Amino acid sequence: MDASESPLASQLQHLYAALALLCLLICATARAHGSELEQRFEHRRWTHNDHSPSQIGALAQTRDGYLWLGTHDSLYRFDGLDFTRYLAADGQELGIVSTLMASDQGLWVGLRNGGVRLIDAEGEVAAAFDLGRGTIYALAQSADGQLWAAANDGLLRFDGQSWQQLSSETGFVGTNAYALLIDSNGRLWVADEQRLYTLEPGARTLRDSGIAVRRPRQIVQAPDGALWLAERDGESVLRLDSSTGQAIRIEVSESVNALLFDQRGALWLSTAGHGLLHAAQPNRHEAGGFGTLERFSARDGLSSDLVAPLHQDSEGSLWVGTHDGLDRLRDRPLQPAGLPANAQNLALVADQAGTLWAGSSNLPVMRLDRDGLQHLPLQTPISATARDSQGNAWLAGPQGIWRSEGASLQKVAELPVQRSLDSAVRAMLVDRQGELWLSVNRQGLFVLRDGRWHGLPPPSAKPAQQMPVSAALAPDGGRWFGYRDNLLVSHDDGGERQWGAAEGLDVGHVTAMAHLPGHAWVGGQRGLARFDGQRFQRLPLPDNGLFDNLYAIVPVQAEAGEDLWLQGKGGIFQLPAAEIAQALENPAHHIRYRTYAAQGGLANDPHQVLPLPTAVRVGDDQLWFVTRNGVVGLDPLRTQQDSAPPRVRIESLVVDGAALPISTSPVLPSSSQRLIIHYGALSLSAPEGLHFLYRLDGFDHTWHSAGRQRQAVYTDLPAGDYRFRVRALNQSGVPSERDAELDFSIGPVFYRQPWFLLSLGIALLGALHLIYRSNMRRAAEHLRTRLEERHEERERIARELHDTLLQGVQGLMLHVQAAADSLPAEQPSRGLLEKALDRADQVINEGRERVRDLRNVRQASADLPKALRELEHLLDHPGVAYRVEVKGTPLALHPVVHDELYLLAREAVGNAFRHAHASLVQVQLDYDPRQFELLVTDDGRGIRADQLDSSKALDHWGLQGMHERAAKMSATLDIHGVHGSGSQVHLTLAGELAYRCEEPPARRRLHWKRFTRSPRP
């Protein structure tokens, strides 16, 4: 190139550069990159991989909170997590949905084939109309309840009874109606191919506004009352000032499908192929276009650049329907700090000036202040940070320790041990005296005093407790160090002290601490505890795994007290002060909390030490957290908007792998082993922030905190009636207004059925009765045999007495009588002999009566009361009253039983007369047919305990003889007496054994029939 061409070429290069710079400035003015929108809004998308429908053409939210999607396929319902395809009760598909409108009656659905459907709150089609007017483009409902439909073949109105098509007589002269709007004043706006009409409230005729339009797709109203129209023909939007009637077209240079004004008054525009546009200040425009227009496209994560409907739900989230799925944009509760996304193992600390210092394992040290992010020339791994009493920031890593001085870092010291892979710094603090305390991995705890390192012995011999993993400085100057395995160690002027389970600490590895005047909070592997200076009290957090492994605790003074901000593996949580106080007072209280980041995991290298704590407070208005999405922050004092309570529902019941209907209370078979109850809740803005509580009445005694889990599993439930209840809480801790409930019952196994138990009881009683009767018959037969043998023996004795003893005595008496007659009458001995002979006659007579009694058993067995009464004359009892009482009708006793009873009673009465020193002796006979009873009582001095021993024979038969006689009869004998309070002899004998009368076999069968016969009602 020659010299003459050089200046020209140079000028051309400068000209091209200027033009390029100008183009860049123009583009920057016209479009801001979508990354700025990403900084302000949290984006979430659902595509085919998330089971989202495609080609979404209409969006609406009904009053129950569900989001409805009209697609080229059908109608879908969305609860924040799952898409449910709508099917009518008859199973018919709705077809292509062209428009949706929510109202008090339910959801109005406009179809491409000209149909209109009303779906009520129960999901049933409450009304169906086939208008036959082509595609239904828009639906609107006026304040008087009339429904308007913009259709391909005109404008229609429904008055609740029938549809009427509007014509030129009512002011509508167009062929097609494309868009409808009921504005804030109740005025109806209608657009056809080229005209814009208005209908005032109460009027019957449409009025042409005089504004020329080009087949509008949509009409929306801005917060200032202006109307905005997106038109089919052209690449602009039309703004109409409804108060002045002035209209202006604003160029967008792209075809706009839909418009939406959000809660801030910003305008969102969906385009046909260029994504989503955002005008933060839509009124700052010229005819040439908007001053600033931001774009959010597929390059920024949008599911598709072909965007159609827009909708803002009741919680302020923006929903975007695209060709390939569904997108949601909402305000970020956590704003990114702007640190590099590839930074790993971030360690944060804030100095007194409010500067945030950040070290990592792979990037240079950074500082963030009001001037932005700055990278320092120090390229070294940082694994621990601290702040001294002067407000300086300290950073430590394997290459040494640095302290901030203004905007730079000054190296303070090397590590106390040789640098190695395992010598990373675990924790660090600077005390009030300026001494540096340093925990080095696998080396121990060191303190830097007067420029020299001093090693401290470990608190125990456990390898896991060789060095602390966390450190904190208390307001009183105490140095606190947290170790693994539930150990805290404090160092103060009083020396070293260890704290553990004996003081109530139960958090596992101590990984987080926050010390305040008068108390402290300690967190770790198993939750959170409050320390009052003497003991630890565990805070009863939900047992759902969200609060395990706490990494940071930041107390923040709020209006109601001291809120706690926690970060752990489950996310970032805010515990309100009122909830904390209630939970500490009542451990059964289910604490409510707010979730800020459900994905709270750290972007941490698993082979490196995790820097603790993972959260830091900068000033009074900023908290920063290290998350897997980088460093994010928020203002803890900013008032959070109260969110709507979630709507909880029970979705299904699965028993042993089979789903059962839950429209009615199901009855499960007795063989049911595994029950799975699926439940859910409606939350469009933050479904991942929902957490659940459930309990099974009839089995559970307390509520179970399920966290984000959406099913409850029960195994081997016993038979009974149950009620399952589930409660949902949203990310702000707001519970559902009412619990979802499901009643069900499990039938008992056949051997627990009432009929089976009743039958078994009857059979058992019958068997016991038969066994009893059989035993009694055998005992009676055995006793009867013995008694018959004894009866024969009585007859033999009677014969022998009559034939031998009585005859012999009679003969002896004759000889004595002859001897007496031979003596003189005045002889004294003769008188004695005659008296003896008289007594002998009495003995002979008694002997004959006795022989007669031995033979006449029936008569003898019925006179026991008489025989016992005669004891009054046969036994001496001076000064003792004697009485015999009879209950019931005397029945004939078996002769042998009669004799044994008589002899036993005589022995008892005689003992009472002779030894009791009583004033009254009483005999009571009870002739109950089922059981005979004999009771002999006295009011004497009783019986000593040693005399009750039946093994010691007393006078004649004595007590031993009485027990032997009772045993022979198979009777029960009870003899007892309290010294000084009288005595009692009580005998009981089964009626079948006592009485002589025996039931014939026929009567026995009659008894069995009565026993087995069912009673008549």
Side-chain angles (χ1 to χ4, degrees), residues 479 490-497:
R479 285 82 67 184
S490 63
H491 294 265
D492 53 24
D493 296 337
E496 176 182 328
R497 180 175 177 181

Side-chain angles (χ1 to χ4, degrees), residues 868 871-872 874-878 880 882 902-918 921-923 936-938 955-956 958-959 962 983 985:
L868 294 179
L871 293 177
E872 184 176 8
L874 297 177
L875 301 176
D876 294 332
H877 54 94
V880 181
Y882 177 68
Y902 172 77
L903 295 175
L904 190 149
R906 178 172 177 168
E907 180 68 23
V909 173
N911 288 338
F913 285 161
R914 290 190 299 271
H915 307 296
H917 300 285
V921 177
Q922 182 172 328
V923 179
V936 180
T937 60
D938 65 69
D955 189 14
H956 299 289
L959 299 180
M962 295 167 65
S983 59
V985 177

